[in-house]
Amino acid sequence: MSLPWTEKYKPLKTSQVVGNDQAVSQLLNFLKGWRRDRDKKAILLHGPPGNGKTVSVYAVAKDLDLEVVEVNASDKRNLEMVQRTVGSASTMSTLFPVKGKVLLIDEVDGLSGSEDRGGVGAIISVIRNTEYPVVLTANNPWDLKFSSLRQYCEMVSFNKIRTPTIVKVLRRICDQEGIRVEEQVLEAIANNAEGDLRAAINDLQALGQNKAELTLEDVEVYSRDKMKSIFEVLAKIFKESNARAIVDEVSSTDVDYEMMMHWINENISQHMSDAKELSEAYNMISRADVFLGRIKNRQHWGLLSYVFELMSAGVSLSRTVSRPGYVKYQFPTWIRNLSRTKSIRDKLSLIGNKIGAKCHASSLEGVEYYLPYLKVIFQADPKRAAKICRFFEFEEELIEEISGDKKTYNKIMKELKS
Ligand SMILES: Nc1ncnc2c1ncn2[C@@H]1O[C@H](COP(=O)(O)OP(=O)(O)OP(=O)(O)O)[C@@H](O)[C@H]1O
Ligand SMILES: [Mg+2]
């Protein structure tokens, strides 16, 4: 395994972060002008994955000569310890000349369910007592459980990275790696990433590593090959019993290991039926998942081999008998469901965000409490509906979604244009 290109080419200085200029400079100003008596002592960077939230924190801190102290949001003991130590910073600094610090609480929306209510509370109390600026990141900060946390934070939105910008980054990497490639190939990869620069760079590495030239055909073949190699890996895991061979197969595949894990997880129940086998296999996959989480949180890429071993040989050796005959491999259900409902979920969450922003509510509250009334008004009174659309700044696509039917939508659009 070589270093992931997302690591190798990650920005080390603010000037190397692409896109989201305004958001990045807001972060810079926040850290520059931070004082312990300011109103909002934390800043929350939010937006879709892979657009530079985490790397911006490190890059900006580096430019300002601040040390980033990363705090694990889902570890309550860790938070309590931080809370005890952040308060004492100013007394410390009179004894030792210490470098300024930034507390980074990354991916707060990883906190799940009710048991973490304490987690959110602990974060708030860290913010209230801190002697240092606090930066939080989240993909979706509009969840109900964050409504009180948001009041302590300056909110900064990081948007998707635009395709031409992604192409530029990919081009630079290809130049450095000595890969010849045409513009349209990079455009295809960039387009497919839908604003996620991390995904684009990962795809480029999977496709182009150790190659002198990358063609459009490679891109097309890649997606077909990817399916083929997923099935090969699954066949090894569920039929083979030589541990070494299984691990080799998994670690040599091009498939993203997280994706592979979902495939293995989905197919365990197809190939094993004995309760003991099943429990052992799920135990293995869950341990692999724990390791993967650690790798992602702490960038300990050396642990990757454990992930491979647990999810491949670990799962495979849980099997005591081999089921004869052909078994169909199952496409991970959650991926299928996600893509089926994605566009509706996207629209609802946009509507929720827009309502929430004007009504000081969360996105969820926007959808649950306000949207039903809007639907009634849209049906009954196109004139008023048009006013509402202007107020919330709904785009046509969202107006269509709220209208529910074409006739209502047309009436409202007519009002809007008049
Ligand atoms: N704006 C950017 N400029 C330069 N590189 C970027 C940018 N965004 C992402 N990258 C690349 O993608 C990798 C992942 O970015 P980063 O960890 O900052 O994403 P993120 O926004 O924090 O995503 P998540 O929401 O999943 O935590 C970086 O290491 C870097 O290689
Ligand atoms: Mg991040």
Side-chain angles (χ1 to χ4, degrees):
M1 274 302 287
S2 52
L3 198 65
W5 285 1
T6 49
E7 279 299 299
K8 189 169 171 187
Y9 295 106
K10 86 172 171 211
L12 300 173
K13 296 186 282 190
T14 312
S15 58
Q16 293 167 343
V17 176
V18 303
N20 289 305
D21 294 350
Q22 225 189 330
V24 175
S25 65
Q26 200 175 334
L27 172 65
L28 184 80
N29 290 333
F30 172 84
L31 293 179
K32 255 193 194 161
W34 194 86
R35 286 167 40 147
R36 103 163 282 290
D37 58 357
R38 63 174 276 145
D39 177 30
K40 303 218 161 160
K41 297 210 280 181
I43 191 164
L44 198 167
L45 316 179
H46 58 91
N51 60 5
K53 295 179 293 300
T54 306
V55 292
S56 297
V57 180
Y58 281 90
V60 171
K62 181 124 202 295
D63 286 356
L64 297 176
D65 200 26
L66 300 171
E67 181 192 342
V68 179
V69 178
E70 205 167 317
V71 180
N72 185 348
S74 50
D75 183 349
K76 209 166 154 251
R77 287 227 318 279
N78 176 290
L79 272 177
E80 280 162 4
M81 203 184 73
V82 169
Q83 195 189 319
R84 262 181 275 128
T85 45
V86 284
S88 58
S90 59
T91 42
M92 289 279 291
S93 58
T94 54
L95 293 174
F96 308 103
V98 290
K99 207 170 164 184
K101 289 184 180 29
V102 183
L103 299 184
L104 169 60
I105 311 184
D106 212 7
E107 298 174 12
V108 290
D109 45 7
L111 295 174
S112 59
S114 54
E115 70 192 309
D116 283 318
R117 219 173 293 157
V120 175
I123 294 177
I124 291 177
S125 111
V126 165
I127 296 174
R128 289 169 80 159
N129 298 314
T130 186
E131 299 274 339
Y132 299 115
V134 179
V135 183
L136 299 100
T137 77
N139 292 128
N140 175 19
W142 309 112
D143 198 298
L144 264 183
K145 64 175 179 251
F146 297 130
S147 47
S148 53
L149 177 62
R150 284 199 303 270
Q151 294 165 6
Y152 292 87
C153 302
E154 196 173 310
M155 302 289 282
V156 181
S157 141
F158 273 66
N159 299 323
K160 291 181 173 183
I161 308 292
R162 294 175 49 244
T163 304
T165 313
I166 296 185
V167 169
K168 270 192 217 147
V169 175
L170 299 182
R171 168 67 67 197
R172 216 195 59 230
I173 295 177
C174 287
D175 288 347
Q176 302 215 27
E177 294 286 327
I179 304 169
R180 248 177 306 125
V181 59
E182 278 184 37
E183 197 72 3
Q184 53 170 339
V185 178
L186 298 183
E187 273 164 13
I189 299 173
N191 258 326
N192 184 47
E194 297 183 0
D196 182 339
L197 183 50
R198 181 203 285 125
I201 298 174
N202 280 336
D203 284 351
L204 181 70
Q205 181 172 16
L207 285 162
Q209 192 162 31
N210 303 325
K211 278 211 189 104
E213 182 170 20
L214 188 61
T215 64
L216 205 53
E217 204 186 7
D218 292 329
V219 179
E220 281 154 8
V221 170
Y222 173 66
S223 38
R224 250 178 292 135
D225 266 8
K226 217 169 167 172
M227 293 309 285
K228 192 170 132 248
S229 64
I230 286 178
F231 291 136
E232 276 165 8
V233 172
L234 291 175
K236 272 263 176 345
I237 290 178
F238 294 111
K239 301 274 176 210
E240 175 92 43
S241 45
N242 175 340
R244 192 71 259 155
I246 298 166
V247 176
D248 285 348
E249 182 80 33
V250 174
S251 44
S252 70
T253 164
D254 275 345
V255 183
D256 177 291
Y257 34 80
E258 229 177 326
M259 177 64 93
M260 198 67 235
M261 195 185 291
H262 286 299
W263 275 88
I264 297 171
N265 184 37
E266 184 78 26
N267 284 285
I268 288 176
S269 64
Q270 302 270 322
H271 294 263
M272 299 182 194
S273 46
D274 179 68
K276 203 155 156 266
E277 283 182 358
L278 282 171
S279 109
E280 185 68 6
Y282 283 122
N283 185 26
M284 290 295 165
I285 201 110
S286 92
R287 282 173 58 194
D289 191 37
V290 168
F291 273 106
L292 193 60
R294 285 190 195 146
I295 292 173
K296 287 207 275 182
N297 278 334
R298 302 180 204 159
Q299 307 286 312
H300 287 173
W301 293 93
L303 297 177
L304 207 51
S305 63
Y306 295 114
V307 175
F308 288 141
E309 278 162 24
L310 288 165
M311 75 183 191
S312 57
V315 169
S316 181
L317 298 180
S318 314
R319 180 170 47 86
T320 50
V321 288
S322 188
R323 269 216 222 157
Y326 173 78
V327 183
K328 204 167 125 268
Y329 292 111
Q330 184 97 22
F331 194 84
T333 9
W334 69 271
I335 298 178
R336 230 185 2 204
N337 289 343
L338 275 184
S339 52
R340 194 183 308 142
T341 58
K342 185 165 185 304
S343 83
I344 302 174
R345 278 183 302 117
D346 279 354
K347 278 183 206 153
L348 283 182
S349 102
L350 281 175
I351 293 170
N353 282 351
K354 292 202 173 219
I355 297 176
K358 296 271 184 189
C359 299
H360 304 283
S362 72
S363 165
L364 190 66
E365 286 164 342
V367 171
E368 278 190 353
Y369 304 135
Y370 294 80
L371 184 58
Y373 293 106
L374 294 193
K375 286 191 171 200
V376 174
I377 299 170
F378 272 44
Q379 289 290 333
D381 188 346
K383 216 182 198 106
R384 190 168 293 260
K387 272 191 195 159
I388 289 175
C389 292
R390 283 201 197 96
F391 175 71
F392 286 114
E393 297 169 23
F394 289 139
E395 287 96 8
E396 288 178 24
E397 204 188 26
L398 302 186
I399 299 174
E400 195 175 355
E401 176 69 31
I402 303 172
S403 300
D405 61 82
K406 203 81 203 155
K407 215 171 112 198
T408 312
Y409 169 72
N410 287 338
K411 275 194 220 156
I412 297 171
M413 290 312 291
K414 212 172 124 205
E415 283 296 334
L416 274 171
K417 281 172 190 149
S418 67

